[in-house]
Amino acid sequence: HRSLVAALEAKRSSTTAAGPKYVQWHKKHDGTWEMQTAVTTFVKNPTASSASSSQQSRVELHAQLHFGDYDYFNHYNTDDFQKDRLVLYEMLLDEALLKQDDKTGRRTVHSDLTASPSDQQTAQQYGWNCQVDVIQYRQNENWIHADLTREEFLKRAGEDQPQSEPLWKIANNKKNPLMIPAAAAEAATALRLGPPILDTTSNKGGGSTSKTASFGATIQRRLFSSNFFLPGASLAQTLRACSWLAVPSPELFVLLLDWATLTVSETGPSLSQITVPLLQSLSKGRLDLVRKLAFGQVVVADNQISSASRGRDRYDLLIQQRNQKAINVLQQTQQALVLEEAKIKYSSSSSSSSNNHAVIADNPKTLALLYGCSHCLDLHQRLISQGYRATTTEWRTAWTVSPLERRADATTGATQDPETSTTRITATVLLVLLPIYFAVGGLDWIATLGGMSSATSDGSGTWAEPLGDAVLYLGRHVLLYVGLSRILLDWEESPN
């Protein structure tokens, strides 16, 4: 069992970097896991066209989660953060909540904001806070709205009337005229091709080359270490398709098959960082920790999916158009700062007043862009295309999970390090839970095939009933596959 865990960890750590990331799990020495978001600093030296400004243009991109600990959000209310910063933030707000400065064009909030009841309920279930309930967006004029308004969003989505549906759902429906739910679309992709993270397109000749997400990493599928003259990718796909009804608990078999046959660049998928602590929490019956770990891993996986889908229509309005709005507001704010500095310098040269130099020194030197994690890879590339270069990245902790506890040995009384129990707990879960899982899956498989067989053999039934049983069976297990593929495996890992 120790060698099994070591092998899994070795496979996980062998994955190479595909590009920058803005959300990650971080493991501390005491076994605590931290869900972290990145703060990346970009700088751009002044050019000839901006010679009126002697300062470097400095932008901080703050990736944010919408749920987290109080201190994670309250950091943005502190004087230390607000000193020397103009804050540009993401939020789809009604126009009635905003006021616009006629001189600068800046939009700021003039009313207090609160999270929706559903978001507050979710935060309460996990013991977290909502971003909107903690961050004080109204606190001063240096907090600038850098997003579409709700009315602008609905207009671009082709909706003339106010809608009660969430805006992300409206954006998805705009490019989805058949109104197919996102979960059903992911299930269809998982059934035919592979995990939702893969933007898979099959090439001709039975190949399996496609582009992932992050920065064009190449994905290949092969059944053998070297396919020789055999169509290994086609054989793997055929085996995968047949397995959904041919074996019990097909989601596990297909997941292992995808793990073994898919290659991202020169590496394969890796074991998720939280797989072992999740199993440990499950073995202790700590469902609260299981939920937090699973929630965080879904956030990480969804961030990969959204970055993989740059250029897809379904993300055009929800991410790309809003990001372009943020860049536009960023540029307008920078131009206003340059003009203001130029005016002060001109006034200073005329009056030779030292007070003007103090005013220049007190002006904000950094633009802080606060946007959700799923937006940040696209924003990163947009800033690079504007001539910025990333210099430093810091990580902030949104919440923590502590699945392991130090405890005294029953015989010696010595305190055990949490890592010493990893192998034992993992082996216990594998030996106890896996047989139960396979037993339930086997009973479901037998009942489904038995029902299909009896419905067709007696000659009195139609094909509708067995076909319905097969569709329901596939639906259950494909959705299980989608969930497990997000939580247990990292299909594409970025650098720490």
Side-chain angles (χ1 to χ4, degrees), residues 24-36 69 273-274 277 280-281 289 292-293 397-406 417-419 422:
Q24 69 173 11
W25 282 111
H26 174 256
K27 184 180 180 181
K28 298 177 66 177
H29 295 299
D30 63 357
T32 299
W33 288 89
E34 297 177 329
M35 171 54 58
Q36 296 183 329
D69 294 336
Q273 288 179 294
I274 59 91
Q280 293 167 344
S281 301
L289 301 183
K292 284 188 175 183
L293 289 166
T397 299
W399 71 76
T400 60
V401 184
S402 303
L404 298 176
E405 300 175 356
R406 295 181 181 272
D417 186 87
E419 294 297 336
T422 297

Side-chain angles (χ1 to χ4, degrees), residues 27 50 63 109 121 125 174 190 213 222-223 228 296 309 353 429 467:
K27 184 180 180 181
S50 61
V109 172
Q121 182 179 7
Q125 290 175 350
K174 176 190 176 186
R222 58 176 58 185
L223 185 59
F228 300 104
S309 303
S353 173
V429 173
L467 182 61

Side-chain angles (χ1 to χ4, degrees), residues 248-249 252 426-443:
S249 300
L252 292 183
T426 304
T428 300
V429 173
L430 293 176
L431 292 175
V432 175
L433 294 185
L434 271 182
I436 295 175
Y437 189 98
F438 280 123
V440 173
L443 291 174

Side-chain angles (χ1 to χ4, degrees), residues 207-468:
S208 138
T209 301
S210 57
K211 295 290 184 183
T212 73
S214 286
F215 304 84
T218 302
I219 295 176
Q220 294 181 331
R221 185 188 291 274
R222 58 176 58 185
L223 185 59
F224 315 105
S225 58
S226 175
N227 284 334
F228 300 104
F229 300 103
L230 299 174
S234 299
L235 290 175
Q237 285 287 66
T238 301
L239 180 60
R240 189 181 189 279
C242 295
S243 300
W244 286 110
L245 286 175
V247 297
S249 300
E251 64 277 3
L252 292 183
F253 180 84
V254 173
L255 194 64
L256 289 172
L257 181 64
D258 287 343
W259 188 18
T261 60
L262 284 172
T263 301
V264 181
S265 293
E266 296 181 355
T267 65
S270 61
L271 189 69
S272 159
Q273 288 179 294
I274 59 91
T275 298
V276 172
L278 188 144
L279 293 176
Q280 293 167 344
S281 301
L282 191 61
S283 69
K284 296 178 181 179
R286 292 295 306 274
L287 297 183
D288 57 328
L289 301 183
V290 171
R291 292 179 66 209
K292 284 188 175 183
L293 289 166
F295 188 103
Q297 185 59 26
V298 169
V299 168
V300 173
D302 283 347
N303 190 62
Q304 292 177 336
I305 292 173
S306 64
S307 66
S309 303
R310 288 183 296 129
R312 282 191 184 181
D313 286 342
R314 62 177 296 193
Y315 287 96
D316 176 59
L317 176 57
L318 194 61
I319 292 181
Q320 294 183 13
Q321 292 190 39
R322 294 172 65 194
N323 286 358
Q324 185 57 52
K325 175 67 175 182
I327 296 297
N328 292 342
V329 174
L330 178 72
Q331 293 173 335
Q332 294 167 4
T333 305
Q334 287 172 329
Q335 292 171 2
L337 290 175
V338 170
L339 289 175
E340 183 178 357
E341 183 179 338
K343 290 180 180 179
I344 295 173
K345 284 184 176 181
Y346 177 78
S347 175
S348 175
S349 63
S350 301
S351 62
S352 300
S353 173
S354 61
N355 291 334
N356 290 328
H357 295 284
V359 171
I360 294 176
D362 289 340
N363 281 344
K365 298 299 188 298
T366 299
L367 297 179
L369 190 59
L370 276 57
Y371 250 76
C373 294
S374 59
H375 293 260
C376 287
L377 279 174
D378 182 68
L379 284 171
H380 183 110
Q381 294 298 5
R382 290 177 187 269
L383 288 170
I384 296 296
S385 68
Q386 295 289 326
Y388 286 89
R389 54 187 176 86
T391 57
T392 60
T393 297
E394 299 177 358
W395 292 93
R396 302 194 60 246
T397 299
W399 71 76
T400 60
V401 184
S402 303
L404 298 176
E405 300 175 356
R406 295 181 181 272
R407 59 182 181 178
D409 185 88
T411 56
T412 65
T415 301
Q416 292 182 339
D417 186 87
E419 294 297 336
T420 60
S421 61
T422 297
T423 303
R424 179 180 57 80
I425 293 176
T426 304
T428 300
V429 173
L430 293 176
L431 292 175
V432 175
L433 294 185
L434 271 182
I436 295 175
Y437 189 98
F438 280 123
V440 173
L443 291 174
D444 185 27
W445 183 66
I446 292 172
T448 300
L449 293 186
M452 293 172 61
S453 177
S454 61
T456 55
S457 61
D458 58 12
S460 59
T462 64
W463 284 101
E465 184 176 351
L467 182 61

Side-chain angles (χ1 to χ4, degrees), residues 78-259:
T78 62
D79 293 338
D80 286 341
F81 172 76
Q82 298 191 53
K83 182 181 179 181
D84 296 336
R85 283 184 176 90
L86 281 174
V87 182
L88 282 59
Y89 60 87
E90 162 216 12
M91 195 173 301
L92 292 165
L93 295 173
D94 291 335
E95 291 178 354
L97 296 174
L98 297 167
K99 61 180 180 180
Q100 185 165 338
D101 187 288
D102 294 334
K103 294 182 178 180
T104 63
R106 297 177 183 174
R107 293 194 299 201
T108 56
V109 172
H110 65 76
S111 301
D112 292 331
L113 304 177
T114 57
S116 66
S118 60
D119 284 349
Q120 290 178 338
Q121 182 179 7
T122 299
Q124 186 177 9
Q125 290 175 350
Y126 287 89
W128 297 330
N129 295 94
C130 292
Q131 168 189 352
V132 181
D133 289 337
V134 179
I135 298 179
Q136 300 171 16
Y137 292 94
R138 190 187 176 188
Q139 48 197 326
N140 58 54
E141 297 300 318
N142 284 344
W143 283 69
I144 304 169
H145 184 252
D147 200 348
L148 301 176
T149 64
R150 182 180 178 87
E151 290 79 3
E152 290 170 339
F153 187 94
L154 290 174
K155 184 177 180 180
R156 297 191 186 197
E159 300 289 344
D160 298 327
Q161 302 297 326
Q163 301 290 321
S164 59
E165 291 182 318
L167 295 182
W168 62 264
K169 189 173 183 179
I170 294 174
N172 185 61
N173 292 342
K174 176 190 176 186
K175 300 299 182 180
N176 181 18
L178 298 179
M179 306 294 285
I180 300 174
E186 287 188 355
T189 299
L191 179 65
R192 297 183 301 109
L193 301 172
I197 182 61
L198 304 184
D199 184 18
T200 310
T201 55
S202 298
N203 61 9
K204 295 180 180 181
S208 138
T209 301
S210 57
K211 295 290 184 183
T212 73
S214 286
F215 304 84
T218 302
I219 295 176
Q220 294 181 331
R221 185 188 291 274
R222 58 176 58 185
L223 185 59
F224 315 105
S225 58
S226 175
N227 284 334
F228 300 104
F229 300 103
L230 299 174
S234 299
L235 290 175
Q237 285 287 66
T238 301
L239 180 60
R240 189 181 189 279
C242 295
S243 300
W244 286 110
L245 286 175
V247 297
S249 300
E251 64 277 3
L252 292 183
F253 180 84
V254 173
L255 194 64
L256 289 172
L257 181 64
D258 287 343
W259 188 18

